[in-house]
Amino acid sequence: MTTAPAPAGSPASFEEFFHAEYDRLRRMTAMMLAGDVHQADDLVADVFVLLLKRWEHVENPHTWMKAVISRRVIKAGKTHRRNQTRLRQLWATDRHGLADPVLLA
């Protein structure tokens, strides 16, 4: 005798979704983050926590996860570029506060 799958929105179906999709979403996220597996682990785990909180209201969890992960990867990229610009400016400034135009390029 087989048991019927858990209805959408139930904890069992979330657990099934998590086990079925985690590795694939982690690989997708790592590829989007240029191979940074550790950052991908953190990001996917955070998004799964959000999904669990909203599980009863999300109609298509796979699409929802991909959309949220994509937005977070884009945001992380913008933050990284902004931080790189700040670091470049910091390193280009000597101890007297004068900027080196060659290093700012």
XYZ file of all heavy atoms in Angstrom:
847
model
N 0.844 -1.175 0.000
C 0.000 0.000 0.000
C 0.894 1.244 0.000
O 1.777 1.383 0.822
C -0.899 -0.029 1.232
C -1.729 1.206 1.386
S -2.587 1.175 2.969
C -4.230 1.362 2.400
N 0.669 2.135 -0.941
C 1.448 3.375 -1.002
C 0.635 4.508 -0.407
O -0.587 4.506 -0.462
C 1.809 3.730 -2.463
O 0.613 3.887 -3.197
C 2.691 2.661 -3.081
N 1.353 5.462 0.149
C 0.661 6.618 0.720
C 0.596 7.718 -0.318
O 1.488 7.859 -1.150
C 1.388 7.136 1.971
O 2.719 7.482 1.594
C 1.433 6.085 3.058
N -0.457 8.463 -0.260
C -0.636 9.581 -1.191
C 0.334 10.684 -0.825
O 0.707 10.839 0.339
C -2.071 10.094 -1.103
N 0.803 11.458 -1.815
C 1.696 12.571 -1.492
C 0.988 13.581 -0.592
O -0.229 13.716 -0.620
C 2.026 13.183 -2.859
C 1.028 12.633 -3.813
C 0.483 11.372 -3.217
N 1.781 14.255 0.206
C 1.215 15.251 1.120
C 0.608 16.389 0.314
O 1.111 16.757 -0.745
C 2.296 15.791 2.037
N -0.492 16.955 0.783
C -1.105 18.075 0.063
C -0.189 19.293 0.081
O 0.626 19.461 0.982
C -2.386 18.343 0.856
C -2.172 17.716 2.185
C -1.206 16.598 1.991
N -0.309 20.129 -0.949
C 0.490 21.346 -1.024
C 0.253 22.184 0.223
O -0.861 22.288 0.707
C 0.118 22.140 -2.279
N 1.315 22.764 0.728
C 1.203 23.606 1.907
C 1.440 22.869 3.206
O 1.576 23.482 4.248
N 1.525 21.551 3.171
C 1.753 20.805 4.405
C 3.250 20.683 4.667
O 4.052 20.747 3.746
C 1.126 19.419 4.305
O 1.869 18.624 3.412
N 3.635 20.513 5.918
C 5.063 20.380 6.235
C 5.730 19.231 5.490
O 6.869 19.346 5.065
C 5.079 20.149 7.740
C 3.810 20.731 8.230
C 2.822 20.538 7.113
N 5.034 18.118 5.318
C 5.625 16.979 4.620
C 5.956 17.338 3.173
O 6.987 16.943 2.651
C 4.690 15.785 4.671
N 5.103 18.092 2.499
C 5.401 18.446 1.122
C 6.559 19.441 1.041
O 7.329 19.408 0.091
C 4.167 18.960 0.396
O 3.687 20.140 0.972
N 6.723 20.292 2.050
C 7.891 21.170 2.082
C 9.155 20.331 2.218
O 10.142 20.563 1.525
C 7.818 22.192 3.226
C 9.079 23.008 3.339
C 9.269 24.111 2.525
C 10.091 22.642 4.212
C 10.437 24.843 2.582
C 11.262 23.371 4.284
C 11.441 24.475 3.465
N 9.116 19.363 3.104
C 10.281 18.502 3.318
C 10.620 17.747 2.032
O 11.791 17.628 1.657
C 10.006 17.528 4.461
C 11.215 16.722 4.855
C 10.978 15.867 6.078
O 10.069 16.166 6.876
O 11.725 14.883 6.229
N 9.599 17.243 1.359
C 9.816 16.554 0.087
C 10.425 17.504 -0.940
O 11.360 17.141 -1.660
C 8.502 15.988 -0.436
C 7.967 14.831 0.363
C 6.540 14.464 -0.004
O 5.993 15.063 -0.962
O 5.974 13.599 0.677
N 9.892 18.710 -1.028
C 10.425 19.704 -1.959
C 11.878 20.020 -1.623
O 12.733 20.070 -2.504
C 9.571 20.980 -1.907
C 10.114 22.082 -2.773
C 9.930 22.052 -4.147
C 10.812 23.142 -2.219
C 10.442 23.060 -4.956
C 11.330 24.151 -3.014
C 11.143 24.110 -4.393
N 12.172 20.225 -0.352
C 13.532 20.538 0.082
C 14.498 19.442 -0.361
O 15.533 19.723 -0.973
C 13.577 20.704 1.605
C 14.966 20.938 2.137
C 15.502 22.203 2.149
C 15.716 19.881 2.618
C 16.786 22.423 2.627
C 17.003 20.082 3.104
C 17.533 21.360 3.111
N 14.172 18.192 -0.059
C 15.065 17.077 -0.405
C 15.193 16.894 -1.917
O 16.269 16.531 -2.408
C 14.594 15.786 0.253
C 14.819 15.776 1.731
N 16.065 15.797 2.311
C 13.944 15.770 2.765
C 15.965 15.804 3.625
N 14.679 15.794 3.931
N 14.134 17.155 -2.629
C 14.159 16.982 -4.085
C 14.914 18.106 -4.797
O 15.539 17.877 -5.836
C 12.732 16.904 -4.624
N 14.874 19.321 -4.260
C 15.377 20.484 -4.991
C 16.665 21.100 -4.446
O 17.318 21.865 -5.148
C 14.303 21.577 -5.018
C 13.039 21.171 -5.739
C 13.256 20.953 -7.220
O 14.085 21.656 -7.834
O 12.603 20.057 -7.774
N 17.045 20.806 -3.217
C 18.163 21.515 -2.593
C 19.447 21.429 -3.416
O 20.061 22.454 -3.719
C 18.427 20.995 -1.177
C 19.593 21.710 -0.538
C 19.428 22.964 0.028
C 20.863 21.154 -0.553
C 20.502 23.645 0.578
C 21.938 21.828 -0.001
C 21.754 23.073 0.563
O 22.822 23.742 1.088
N 19.873 20.223 -3.792
C 21.145 20.080 -4.509
C 21.131 20.814 -5.847
O 22.104 21.480 -6.207
C 21.477 18.608 -4.736
C 21.930 17.918 -3.461
O 22.429 18.607 -2.544
O 21.758 16.686 -3.366
N 20.030 20.705 -6.565
C 19.950 21.375 -7.873
C 19.989 22.893 -7.716
O 20.696 23.583 -8.441
C 18.675 20.942 -8.611
C 18.685 21.327 -10.083
C 17.421 20.837 -10.769
N 16.225 21.359 -10.125
C 15.839 22.638 -10.200
N 16.545 23.497 -10.861
N 14.738 23.026 -9.610
N 19.229 23.419 -6.739
C 19.226 24.866 -6.515
C 20.582 25.349 -6.017
O 21.032 26.437 -6.366
C 18.118 25.252 -5.531
C 16.698 25.127 -6.093
C 15.676 25.250 -4.973
C 16.451 26.182 -7.165
N 21.255 24.540 -5.218
C 22.597 24.884 -4.729
C 23.587 24.951 -5.893
O 24.390 25.874 -5.982
C 23.034 23.851 -3.706
C 24.389 24.112 -3.121
C 24.699 23.023 -2.079
N 26.060 23.083 -1.663
C 27.021 22.290 -2.109
N 26.748 21.353 -3.000
N 28.255 22.415 -1.675
N 23.538 23.975 -6.796
C 24.436 23.989 -7.960
C 24.140 25.191 -8.848
O 25.067 25.866 -9.317
C 24.290 22.693 -8.755
C 25.004 21.522 -8.140
C 25.080 20.327 -9.097
N 23.768 19.899 -9.586
C 22.975 19.044 -8.952
N 23.344 18.526 -7.815
N 21.817 18.701 -9.472
N 22.857 25.460 -9.090
C 22.479 26.610 -9.910
C 23.007 27.898 -9.292
O 23.591 28.747 -9.975
C 20.953 26.685 -10.043
C 20.453 27.884 -10.828
S 18.681 28.207 -10.587
C 18.691 29.015 -8.992
N 22.843 28.038 -7.985
C 23.277 29.249 -7.293
C 24.791 29.374 -7.314
O 25.328 30.465 -7.542
C 22.749 29.250 -5.844
O 21.332 29.082 -5.876
C 23.090 30.537 -5.132
N 25.498 28.282 -7.115
C 26.962 28.319 -7.155
C 27.449 28.751 -8.538
O 28.402 29.535 -8.645
C 27.536 26.957 -6.785
N 26.790 28.278 -9.583
C 27.164 28.707 -10.935
C 26.917 30.200 -11.112
O 27.732 30.906 -11.720
C 26.393 27.899 -11.978
C 26.883 26.475 -12.086
S 25.951 25.380 -13.197
C 25.356 26.430 -14.477
N 25.821 30.694 -10.570
C 25.512 32.122 -10.674
C 26.516 32.969 -9.891
O 26.750 34.128 -10.218
C 24.095 32.383 -10.167
C 23.011 31.766 -11.030
S 21.382 31.830 -10.239
C 20.977 33.555 -10.440
N 27.119 32.371 -8.864
C 28.083 33.075 -8.011
C 29.525 32.724 -8.391
O 30.422 32.795 -7.550
C 27.840 32.725 -6.543
C 26.530 33.225 -5.955
C 26.261 32.569 -4.602
C 26.570 34.750 -5.815
N 29.741 32.349 -9.625
C 31.077 32.043 -10.140
C 31.766 30.948 -9.325
O 32.956 31.010 -9.048
C 31.940 33.300 -10.199
N 30.991 29.943 -8.927
C 31.567 28.794 -8.246
C 31.737 28.911 -6.744
O 32.314 28.022 -6.119
N 31.246 29.970 -6.149
C 31.382 30.150 -4.702
C 30.349 29.275 -3.978
O 29.236 29.694 -3.689
C 31.201 31.617 -4.322
C 31.548 31.907 -2.877
O 31.553 30.960 -2.059
O 31.806 33.082 -2.557
N 30.752 28.037 -3.680
C 29.845 27.054 -3.095
C 29.414 27.459 -1.690
O 28.261 27.253 -1.299
C 30.514 25.659 -3.080
C 29.619 24.625 -2.409
C 30.852 25.225 -4.489
N 30.317 28.048 -0.921
C 29.983 28.429 0.448
C 28.926 29.531 0.473
O 27.974 29.470 1.264
C 31.235 28.864 1.209
C 32.270 27.788 1.272
N 32.083 26.629 1.988
C 33.481 27.678 0.692
C 33.136 25.853 1.851
N 34.009 26.468 1.069
N 29.087 30.521 -0.386
C 28.081 31.578 -0.459
C 26.763 31.013 -0.995
O 25.688 31.403 -0.542
C 28.564 32.736 -1.334
C 27.628 33.930 -1.303
C 28.132 35.112 -2.124
O 29.151 35.042 -2.796
N 27.403 36.205 -2.070
N 26.847 30.083 -1.928
C 25.637 29.449 -2.464
C 24.901 28.686 -1.364
O 23.675 28.763 -1.262
C 25.995 28.514 -3.611
N 25.638 27.949 -0.532
C 25.016 27.230 0.587
C 24.248 28.186 1.490
O 23.104 27.925 1.861
C 26.065 26.506 1.424
C 26.557 25.231 0.788
O 25.823 24.645 -0.028
O 27.678 24.801 1.127
N 24.900 29.289 1.855
C 24.263 30.270 2.746
C 23.016 30.874 2.109
O 21.965 30.980 2.750
C 25.245 31.390 3.107
C 26.374 30.927 4.008
O 26.259 29.837 4.609
O 27.380 31.654 4.114
N 23.149 31.261 0.852
C 22.037 31.923 0.175
C 20.845 30.976 0.012
O 19.710 31.346 0.320
C 22.515 32.430 -1.190
C 21.648 33.468 -1.858
C 22.506 34.400 -2.677
C 20.597 32.842 -2.727
N 21.092 29.753 -0.424
C 20.001 28.797 -0.626
C 19.336 28.457 0.705
O 18.106 28.375 0.794
C 20.508 27.531 -1.360
C 19.448 26.443 -1.383
C 20.920 27.883 -2.782
N 20.135 28.282 1.744
C 19.560 27.993 3.062
C 18.666 29.139 3.528
O 17.555 28.905 4.034
C 20.667 27.740 4.079
N 19.134 30.377 3.354
C 18.332 31.544 3.748
C 17.013 31.593 2.978
O 15.958 31.889 3.548
C 19.100 32.844 3.510
C 20.261 33.041 4.467
O 20.322 32.337 5.499
O 21.103 33.915 4.180
N 17.066 31.298 1.682
C 15.861 31.369 0.861
C 14.908 30.217 1.206
O 13.688 30.406 1.212
C 16.217 31.415 -0.640
C 14.964 31.398 -1.496
C 17.031 32.676 -0.943
N 15.436 29.054 1.551
C 14.564 27.968 2.003
C 13.851 28.335 3.303
O 12.687 27.981 3.502
C 15.323 26.652 2.172
C 15.232 25.748 0.969
C 16.347 25.499 0.190
C 14.038 25.137 0.624
C 16.272 24.669 -0.918
C 13.943 24.306 -0.469
C 15.070 24.065 -1.250
N 14.533 29.036 4.193
C 13.885 29.485 5.437
C 12.733 30.432 5.100
O 11.641 30.326 5.668
C 14.897 30.149 6.392
C 14.198 30.839 7.545
C 15.893 29.116 6.912
N 12.971 31.355 4.166
C 11.887 32.262 3.739
C 10.723 31.482 3.145
O 9.555 31.779 3.411
C 12.408 33.257 2.699
C 13.306 34.372 3.182
C 13.798 35.194 1.992
C 12.570 35.258 4.164
N 11.055 30.486 2.317
C 10.000 29.689 1.697
C 9.180 28.953 2.749
O 7.954 28.906 2.651
C 10.592 28.684 0.703
C 9.587 27.741 0.039
C 8.556 28.519 -0.780
C 10.314 26.725 -0.825
N 9.838 28.394 3.741
C 9.105 27.679 4.791
C 8.108 28.605 5.479
O 6.973 28.215 5.748
C 10.080 27.091 5.812
C 9.448 26.332 6.978
C 8.595 25.170 6.481
C 10.523 25.844 7.933
N 8.507 29.852 5.726
C 7.615 30.816 6.370
C 6.413 31.163 5.492
O 5.346 31.495 5.985
C 8.372 32.094 6.715
C 9.406 31.904 7.802
C 10.185 33.181 8.043
C 11.242 32.988 9.100
N 12.056 34.199 9.295
N 6.598 31.085 4.168
C 5.537 31.466 3.231
C 4.915 30.264 2.518
O 4.151 30.431 1.571
C 6.112 32.419 2.182
C 6.570 33.741 2.744
C 7.363 34.523 1.695
N 7.698 35.863 2.101
C 8.686 36.191 2.905
N 9.441 35.254 3.436
N 8.940 37.454 3.208
N 5.284 29.072 2.927
C 4.945 27.842 2.201
C 3.471 27.751 1.828
O 3.133 27.372 0.705
C 5.363 26.638 3.029
C 5.124 25.332 2.350
C 4.200 24.398 2.700
C 5.797 24.820 1.206
N 4.273 23.321 1.851
C 5.246 23.558 0.908
C 6.806 25.308 0.374
C 5.672 22.778 -0.153
C 7.234 24.532 -0.688
C 6.671 23.293 -0.937
N 2.581 28.087 2.720
C 1.153 27.947 2.452
C 0.651 28.916 1.385
O -0.420 28.717 0.815
C 0.359 28.147 3.737
C 0.603 27.059 4.758
C -0.158 27.289 6.051
O -0.945 28.260 6.115
O 0.045 26.513 6.988
N 1.404 29.971 1.107
C 0.952 31.011 0.176
C 1.655 30.959 -1.178
O 1.270 31.681 -2.088
C 1.156 32.393 0.793
C 0.527 32.508 2.159
N -0.833 32.552 2.349
C 1.077 32.547 3.393
C -1.098 32.633 3.640
N 0.043 32.629 4.298
N 2.681 30.132 -1.307
C 3.442 30.053 -2.554
C 2.833 28.964 -3.432
O 2.772 27.802 -3.040
C 4.935 29.749 -2.261
C 5.697 29.514 -3.553
C 5.558 30.890 -1.471
N 2.387 29.371 -4.620
C 1.737 28.421 -5.524
C 2.739 27.544 -6.262
O 2.487 26.368 -6.482
C 0.867 29.168 -6.531
C -0.363 29.778 -5.906
C -1.253 30.431 -6.947
O -1.273 29.965 -8.102
O -1.925 31.402 -6.594
N 3.854 28.120 -6.682
C 4.862 27.368 -7.420
C 6.209 27.559 -6.719
O 6.942 28.498 -7.030
C 4.919 27.845 -8.862
C 5.838 27.001 -9.715
O 6.750 26.344 -9.226
N 5.598 27.031 -11.015
N 6.545 26.696 -5.775
C 7.755 26.905 -4.975
C 9.041 26.899 -5.795
O 9.968 27.655 -5.500
C 7.739 25.770 -3.957
C 6.711 24.823 -4.388
C 5.800 25.519 -5.330
N 9.103 26.089 -6.853
C 10.321 26.054 -7.665
C 10.574 27.412 -8.333
O 11.676 27.955 -8.273
C 10.236 24.942 -8.706
C 11.438 24.851 -9.567
N 12.647 24.391 -9.103
C 11.635 25.198 -10.852
C 13.526 24.444 -10.081
N 12.936 24.924 -11.152
N 9.548 27.950 -8.953
C 9.671 29.260 -9.607
C 9.968 30.347 -8.582
O 10.792 31.233 -8.815
C 8.391 29.587 -10.389
O 8.177 28.548 -11.354
C 8.477 30.925 -11.076
N 9.302 30.285 -7.437
C 9.515 31.272 -6.378
C 10.963 31.239 -5.907
O 11.604 32.280 -5.761
C 8.556 30.987 -5.223
C 8.563 32.010 -4.143
C 7.769 33.119 -4.071
C 9.399 32.051 -2.977
N 8.063 33.831 -2.924
C 9.065 33.196 -2.240
C 10.402 31.214 -2.498
C 9.687 33.542 -1.052
C 11.037 31.551 -1.313
C 10.674 32.697 -0.599
N 11.501 30.041 -5.676
C 12.890 29.904 -5.220
C 13.862 30.470 -6.251
O 14.780 31.207 -5.907
C 13.225 28.430 -4.956
C 12.604 27.830 -3.732
S 13.330 28.424 -2.188
C 14.970 27.722 -2.258
N 13.672 30.127 -7.514
C 14.578 30.624 -8.554
C 14.539 32.140 -8.628
O 15.576 32.786 -8.783
C 14.233 29.994 -9.906
C 14.670 28.550 -10.005
C 14.239 27.892 -11.296
C 14.787 28.559 -12.523
N 14.452 27.856 -13.768
N 13.354 32.729 -8.514
C 13.229 34.181 -8.593
C 13.915 34.861 -7.404
O 14.666 35.831 -7.579
C 11.755 34.586 -8.652
N 13.683 34.357 -6.206
C 14.283 34.972 -5.014
C 15.794 34.787 -5.027
O 16.549 35.719 -4.736
C 13.650 34.406 -3.718
C 14.371 34.930 -2.487
C 12.171 34.764 -3.664
N 16.262 33.611 -5.388
C 17.712 33.371 -5.467
C 18.335 34.310 -6.491
O 19.372 34.921 -6.227
C 18.000 31.893 -5.797
C 17.704 31.018 -4.577
C 19.438 31.708 -6.259
C 17.726 29.526 -4.860
N 17.717 34.440 -7.649
C 18.263 35.321 -8.698
C 18.364 36.761 -8.212
O 19.386 37.419 -8.420
C 17.388 35.257 -9.950
O 17.411 33.964 -10.492
N 17.322 37.247 -7.552
C 17.367 38.625 -7.033
C 18.479 38.786 -5.996
O 19.172 39.794 -5.971
C 16.019 39.023 -6.448
C 14.968 39.318 -7.500
C 13.743 40.018 -6.927
N 13.059 39.251 -5.902
C 12.090 38.378 -6.132
N 11.700 38.140 -7.365
N 11.499 37.734 -5.132
N 18.645 37.794 -5.149
C 19.684 37.877 -4.116
C 21.081 37.804 -4.715
O 22.001 38.457 -4.226
C 19.480 36.796 -3.072
C 18.233 37.074 -2.255
C 18.338 36.465 -0.940
N 17.228 36.943 -0.107
C 17.177 36.759 1.173
N 18.154 36.129 1.778
N 16.161 37.207 1.865
N 21.269 37.016 -5.757
C 22.569 36.948 -6.426
C 22.881 38.296 -7.071
O 24.007 38.797 -6.974
C 22.606 35.807 -7.465
C 23.810 35.924 -8.383
C 22.605 34.459 -6.762
N 21.898 38.901 -7.711
C 22.097 40.223 -8.323
C 22.461 41.239 -7.253
O 23.402 42.028 -7.417
C 20.845 40.655 -9.114
C 20.691 39.777 -10.362
C 20.907 42.132 -9.479
C 19.343 39.902 -11.046
N 21.742 41.224 -6.140
C 22.026 42.155 -5.044
C 23.434 41.923 -4.495
O 24.167 42.877 -4.225
C 20.987 41.994 -3.938
C 21.159 42.979 -2.811
C 20.075 42.810 -1.760
C 20.283 43.811 -0.631
N 19.283 43.654 0.422
N 23.821 40.667 -4.341
C 25.164 40.353 -3.832
C 26.228 40.859 -4.795
O 27.276 41.371 -4.365
C 25.306 38.849 -3.622
N 25.977 40.747 -6.093
C 26.928 41.248 -7.086
C 27.071 42.752 -7.022
O 28.186 43.292 -7.102
N 25.971 43.452 -6.861
C 26.030 44.910 -6.746
C 26.794 45.319 -5.492
O 27.613 46.238 -5.523
C 24.620 45.504 -6.715
C 23.902 45.440 -8.034
C 22.494 46.001 -7.915
C 21.747 45.907 -9.225
N 20.371 46.411 -9.108
N 26.529 44.638 -4.387
C 27.229 44.942 -3.138
C 28.717 44.677 -3.292
O 29.546 45.478 -2.852
C 26.650 44.098 -1.983
O 25.273 44.406 -1.849
C 27.364 44.369 -0.682
N 29.068 43.582 -3.936
C 30.476 43.242 -4.143
C 31.182 44.305 -4.990
O 32.279 44.747 -4.651
C 30.590 41.874 -4.805
C 31.987 41.459 -5.095
N 32.845 41.042 -4.117
C 32.683 41.417 -6.257
C 34.009 40.750 -4.661
N 33.930 40.969 -5.956
N 30.538 44.722 -6.086
C 31.140 45.752 -6.943
C 31.298 47.066 -6.191
O 32.318 47.747 -6.321
C 30.308 45.949 -8.207
C 30.516 44.847 -9.225
C 29.856 45.145 -10.561
N 28.418 45.290 -10.485
C 27.563 44.276 -10.425
N 28.012 43.045 -10.411
N 26.271 44.482 -10.383
N 30.304 47.430 -5.396
C 30.380 48.663 -4.612
C 31.530 48.581 -3.610
O 32.309 49.515 -3.456
C 29.042 48.916 -3.914
C 28.952 50.239 -3.211
C 27.538 50.560 -2.698
N 26.873 49.458 -2.028
C 25.816 48.796 -2.511
N 25.293 49.129 -3.665
N 25.274 47.799 -1.837
N 31.673 47.439 -2.960
C 32.763 47.264 -2.006
C 34.121 47.274 -2.699
O 35.084 47.819 -2.158
C 32.589 45.966 -1.211
C 31.439 46.049 -0.240
O 30.982 47.134 0.125
N 30.942 44.895 0.181
N 34.212 46.679 -3.883
C 35.464 46.686 -4.631
C 35.865 48.111 -4.997
O 37.037 48.471 -4.926
C 35.352 45.829 -5.899
C 35.251 44.362 -5.629
C 36.533 43.814 -5.044
O 36.956 44.161 -3.950
N 37.164 42.929 -5.775
N 34.890 48.933 -5.384
C 35.175 50.329 -5.721
C 35.696 51.065 -4.493
O 36.680 51.805 -4.576
C 33.902 51.027 -6.259
O 33.476 50.335 -7.431
C 34.167 52.480 -6.585
N 35.074 50.847 -3.365
C 35.527 51.493 -2.125
C 36.938 51.048 -1.756
O 37.766 51.858 -1.351
C 34.560 51.191 -0.986
C 33.234 51.897 -1.123
C 32.317 51.531 0.021
N 31.000 52.103 -0.172
C 29.895 51.597 0.305
N 29.934 50.493 1.046
N 28.738 52.162 0.082
N 37.206 49.765 -1.876
C 38.543 49.261 -1.564
C 39.585 49.830 -2.517
O 40.691 50.189 -2.104
C 38.570 47.733 -1.616
C 37.958 47.010 -0.440
C 37.892 45.515 -0.706
C 38.750 47.287 0.827
N 39.239 49.902 -3.803
C 40.167 50.464 -4.787
C 40.484 51.915 -4.438
O 41.635 52.340 -4.499
C 39.540 50.349 -6.182
C 40.540 50.334 -7.280
C 40.004 50.010 -8.661
N 38.602 50.253 -8.923
C 37.674 49.302 -8.999
N 37.996 48.037 -8.817
N 36.422 49.594 -9.257
N 39.466 52.676 -4.032
C 39.689 54.072 -3.645
C 40.545 54.155 -2.391
O 41.428 55.007 -2.289
C 38.361 54.782 -3.414
C 37.571 54.998 -4.683
C 36.158 55.475 -4.430
O 35.647 55.385 -3.319
N 35.509 55.959 -5.485
N 40.304 53.281 -1.442
C 41.093 53.278 -0.213
C 42.552 52.952 -0.500
O 43.455 53.634 -0.011
C 40.513 52.258 0.772
C 41.261 52.097 2.094
C 41.190 53.388 2.894
C 40.680 50.946 2.883
N 42.789 51.920 -1.296
C 44.158 51.530 -1.608
C 44.862 52.568 -2.478
O 46.086 52.684 -2.433
C 44.185 50.174 -2.307
C 44.019 49.046 -1.346
C 42.883 48.325 -1.138
C 44.985 48.544 -0.439
N 43.080 47.395 -0.156
C 44.370 47.499 0.295
C 46.309 48.862 -0.155
C 45.037 46.777 1.265
C 46.972 48.140 0.815
C 46.337 47.116 1.519
N 44.102 53.318 -3.254
C 44.704 54.315 -4.138
C 45.054 55.602 -3.404
O 45.731 56.461 -3.945
C 43.754 54.623 -5.294
N 44.632 55.746 -2.190
C 44.908 56.956 -1.409
C 46.129 56.697 -0.529
O 46.172 55.727 0.221
C 43.694 57.305 -0.520
O 42.547 57.411 -1.356
C 43.915 58.605 0.203
N 47.121 57.572 -0.641
C 48.312 57.369 0.187
C 48.069 57.874 1.602
O 47.002 58.372 1.933
C 49.537 58.028 -0.446
C 49.469 59.545 -0.465
O 48.586 60.130 0.197
O 50.315 60.162 -1.132
N 49.050 57.771 2.432
C 48.875 58.139 3.845
C 48.620 59.624 4.057
O 48.232 60.035 5.118
C 50.068 57.667 4.654
C 51.347 58.395 4.308
C 52.460 57.934 5.195
N 53.615 58.756 4.900
C 54.841 58.309 4.861
N 55.091 57.049 5.122
N 55.833 59.109 4.595
N 48.860 60.453 3.029
C 48.613 61.887 3.126
C 47.227 62.257 2.597
O 46.886 63.436 2.530
C 49.688 62.676 2.374
C 51.070 62.405 2.887
N 51.491 62.792 4.131
C 52.102 61.757 2.325
C 52.731 62.407 4.315
N 53.139 61.757 3.211
N 46.453 61.249 2.175
C 45.105 61.502 1.684
C 45.050 61.901 0.228
O 44.027 62.328 -0.266
N 46.181 61.753 -0.488
C 46.219 62.090 -1.903
C 45.975 60.844 -2.732
O 46.578 59.796 -2.522
C 47.585 62.693 -2.273
C 47.969 63.956 -1.472
C 49.391 64.359 -1.803
C 47.004 65.089 -1.786
N 45.081 60.952 -3.696
C 44.728 59.813 -4.535
C 45.738 59.613 -5.639
O 46.262 60.577 -6.201
C 43.340 60.022 -5.129
N 46.038 58.367 -5.951
C 46.909 58.007 -7.062
C 46.007 57.712 -8.263
O 45.317 56.709 -8.280
C 47.733 56.769 -6.702
C 48.721 56.385 -7.793
O 48.591 56.882 -8.942
O 49.621 55.586 -7.499
N 46.012 58.592 -9.279
C 45.097 58.412 -10.410
C 45.319 57.103 -11.174
O 44.406 56.567 -11.771
C 45.350 59.630 -11.298
C 46.576 60.262 -10.795
C 46.842 59.758 -9.420
N 46.538 56.572 -11.158
C 46.813 55.320 -11.865
C 46.059 54.169 -11.199
O 45.482 53.324 -11.859
C 48.331 55.045 -11.882
C 48.625 53.659 -12.484
C 49.050 56.133 -12.657
N 46.039 54.130 -9.868
C 45.369 53.047 -9.160
C 43.859 53.169 -9.206
O 43.158 52.188 -9.030
C 45.841 52.991 -7.706
C 47.305 52.585 -7.501
C 47.661 52.671 -6.038
C 47.561 51.194 -8.039
N 43.334 54.373 -9.415
C 41.894 54.565 -9.484
C 41.302 54.128 -10.816
O 40.102 53.952 -10.937
C 41.516 56.017 -9.208
C 41.645 56.461 -7.747
C 41.425 57.949 -7.632
C 40.693 55.708 -6.859
N 42.137 53.961 -11.830
C 41.656 53.617 -13.177
C 41.111 52.218 -13.245
O 41.351 51.375 -12.494
C 42.774 53.791 -14.188
